[in-house]
Structures are given as C-alpha cells and as structure tokens.
Amino acid sequence: MAKMLDGPVPDGARSVSWPWYHHVLTNELTRDAKKLLMTYSGVSEKEMEAHIYSIRDKAWGVFPWPCVGEFWFLSFGLAKHPLYRTMILPRLKAGQTLLDIGACLGQDIRKCIFDGAPAHNLYASDLFPEYEDLAYDLFRDNERIPRGHFFTDNILAENEAFTSGPLMTKLGPGQVDIVAITMFLHLFNYENQLKTATRILRLLSNRPGSIILGSQAGSIDFGEQTLKPPFHRSHDGNRRTVFRHNPESFERLWTEAGTVTGVPLKISAVLQSPKDFLFGADSSFDYSVKKRRYLTRSETRRLYFSIMRT
C-alpha cells in the first residue's frame, strides 16, 4: 500500500533476491488451494504452477509485499478463523454482507463463494486498483463475481478523502454485517491502527451481532517494532514501526476505538503458538530459522480475534 507507506516503493524493494520472494512453490500450494483452483477456477494441474507464478510476478510489480513474494494469496486466512464454519459462513448463506479490507487478490471471498456463500453479498477493498483484474485473472471468475464489488480505497486517507471515497459512498456507513481484516492491521503503527479501527466501526452495521474478525501477526510482548529493510524508513527518513499486539493490548486498542465512536463492543483475542502452525492445519506459517520470514521473531505468534457489536 504505497500511500499507506508514505511514499513510493523503496529502492531495491522489487528485487527478487529478498528472502521473502520465493522462487519455487513448496508448501504454499496446499490441497485446499489446488482444489479451489481446479474446481472453482478451472485451472488444470498441468498449468497451475505457471499460472500462479505469472500472477504473483504481476502482483509483485504492483507492490512488492513480502506476503505476495511468499504466495500468501494461496492461503485462505478467513477460512482458518475459528468462527468461519460456525458463524461466518452460515450468516453469509443466510444473506448477510461481508467486506474484506486489505483483500489483496480476493482469495478469501473466493473461498467463501466456493463454500457456498452468494457472491452478490461479498465485497473487497484494497489500495491498488490492479488487484481487481489480477484477482479475476487468477481465479477466472469474471462471470461469477459482479464488477463493482471491489473498492479501491485508502482507509488512512485524510478525512474528506475517506468520507468521499468508495467505501463510504458506494457501500456506505453502517451497511456491512461482517468485516474481515486478515493480515492487515499489523501493517501499521498504533496511531494508524486506531484510526483504521474507528473507520471500520463506521462501516460496520448498527445491528447488534455485527462483527469484525481476522488474524494477524501478534507477539507475546506487545509494542512498536521497527521494520526491516527495505521498508524500514519513511520517505522523510524516519524509522518506520508497526505495532504488534498480545491479546490484552489488542483489546485495549478496540476498547479505545469503541469509546471514540460510541460503539459498544465485545472483544476476543487469542494467540496461537508456533507449534500449532508447524504441525496444525495452518502449517504454512513456518517459524523455522531457515525460512527467514519478514519481521518474524521468536516471540511472534498468530493473533486470532473477533470484535462484535453488542
């Protein structure tokens, strides 16, 4: 998100020598990803890897996110949330709406559709307009998902720009039953996380039970962490940080956002330990030293959360 990163792509960031640019698909192409691409998208097994490499490199050219280099668009993060099968999918099938913010190539809404959710109730948003066409190219579903369900918007824009932007004007405040923010909020420092949280609450439906949920990188020890090169400095030369939460600090963030907006909330958050990722269903999140993932430390965990309007 170039604007959210306060400037253009840093020098050298598009190099394919960074350790988070994976040259070869390994465990990123899971059985779930293969099944969806073959059954939903009609991508043959013979052409699948070349198809994925082509889309990934085009997305890398838009912005060289480490998650793009690591093929995270093949990981259906929302479907791994504990509430997905028991609450989210049944609500979607019953007609509720979902907005995926920081959607990247829209992989999570494709998984929802594959699992039976109606496409006309699903929306996605990201900063880069190129992601919409790349998502259609990846999943080959132009005729299944209507145009106009992807909003190019900046959640951290100045107030006037955000208020007049597509999320507020085309979707509208108080219109979304479910907001998914998977691997998104951890991109920002605390100040911008709070700003983002208050704006998401403006989009959330006024009905009790409306919910925000997702997962992100968390930490046993909460606080600001300095990013690694090449994203470690802003355009004015200042060190750039991101805030990593434990469950207690995450609850404080959303309690503050609820107070600011006057929205009563029930907040739940839990850390998942490294062993659960190495040997469990979400084993693509590998903490081994040899992976050398971007800003992964020994104390890093995955934080799963939900924020429900009461």
Side-chain angles (χ1 to χ4, degrees):
M1 300 174 181
K3 295 178 183 177
M4 292 187 186
L5 290 174
D6 304 314
V9 177
D11 291 341
R14 286 198 174 96
S15 170
V16 296
S17 298
W18 294 108
W20 48 86
Y21 181 94
H22 293 182
H23 293 269
V24 179
L25 280 162
T26 55
N27 61 340
E28 300 96 345
L29 187 53
T30 63
R31 284 182 297 177
D32 282 348
K34 281 185 177 181
K35 183 178 180 181
L36 188 144
L37 286 170
M38 292 178 69
T39 307
Y40 173 88
S41 305
V43 179
S44 69
E45 191 167 5
K46 182 179 179 180
E47 66 175 319
M48 189 172 296
E49 290 196 7
H51 178 64
I52 293 168
Y53 289 137
S54 174
I55 299 296
R56 191 277 301 272
D57 288 346
K58 290 175 182 177
W60 183 261
V62 175
F63 194 89
W65 287 114
C67 60
V68 169
E70 294 177 342
F71 301 103
W72 277 69
F73 54 85
L74 299 176
S75 177
F76 308 116
L78 177 59
K80 295 171 183 173
H81 195 283
L83 295 179
Y84 177 72
R85 292 284 175 187
T86 59
M87 178 187 292
I88 302 307
L89 196 57
R91 286 189 179 190
L92 293 176
K93 290 179 178 180
Q96 291 196 6
T97 55
L98 179 144
L99 170 65
D100 183 8
I101 299 179
C104 193
L105 301 188
Q107 61 273 9
D108 282 332
I109 65 170
R110 266 67 179 196
K111 176 63 171 168
C112 290
I113 296 169
F114 186 60
D115 289 338
H120 62 270
N121 288 333
L122 305 179
Y123 301 88
S125 177
D126 211 298
L127 187 65
F128 299 113
E130 297 91 338
Y131 283 171
E132 181 176 22
D133 284 336
L134 284 176
Y136 280 126
D137 290 345
L138 175 63
F139 294 106
R140 297 179 177 175
D141 58 356
N142 296 63
E143 297 180 358
R144 195 171 306 196
I145 299 180
R147 290 278 176 174
H149 281 231
F150 181 94
F151 303 111
T152 302
D153 210 341
N154 182 357
I155 199 81
L156 289 177
E158 296 298 324
N159 285 332
E160 184 177 348
F162 178 73
T163 302
S164 61
L167 284 176
M168 291 293 283
T169 59
K170 295 182 180 180
L171 197 57
Q175 298 302 308
V176 184
D177 299 303
I178 304 163
V179 179
I181 47 171
T182 300
M183 306 305 284
F184 175 69
L185 203 61
H186 66 202
L187 296 172
F188 314 123
N189 60 24
Y190 189 92
E191 179 183 357
N192 282 335
Q193 287 185 19
L194 180 60
K195 184 175 182 179
T196 299
T198 58
R199 288 183 169 179
I200 291 172
L201 288 174
R202 291 172 66 183
L203 295 167
L204 190 68
S205 169
N206 295 326
R207 290 189 291 271
S210 302
I211 191 169
I212 303 159
L213 80 164
S215 61
Q216 63 187 52
S219 179
I220 294 172
D221 300 317
F222 69 88
E224 300 283 351
Q225 295 183 5
T226 301
L227 285 172
K228 294 180 180 179
F231 302 113
H232 61 305
R233 293 195 183 277
S234 61
H235 69 287
D236 56 7
N238 292 326
R239 299 287 290 181
R240 181 178 285 115
T241 64
V242 293
F243 195 95
R244 291 289 184 259
H245 287 281
N246 63 17
E248 292 75 23
S249 67
F250 188 83
E251 182 173 351
R252 287 194 293 271
L253 169 74
W254 283 94
T255 298
E256 185 176 358
T259 300
V260 169
T261 55
V263 178
L265 300 171
K266 178 183 178 182
I267 305 152
S268 301
V270 63
L271 287 174
Q272 192 172 10
S273 66
K275 65 179 178 65
D276 295 325
F277 293 114
L278 288 172
F279 305 111
D282 198 5
S283 59
S284 61
F285 201 76
D286 189 345
Y287 288 89
S288 58
V289 174
K290 66 181 181 180
K291 285 289 186 179
R292 299 184 181 276
R293 289 182 178 273
Y294 188 77
L295 207 132
T296 294
R297 303 181 179 187
S298 60
E299 72 273 16
T300 302
R301 303 288 189 273
R302 181 72 63 83
L303 183 75
Y304 283 92
F305 58 83
S306 65
I307 304 103
M308 183 178 290
R309 185 173 189 133
T310 59

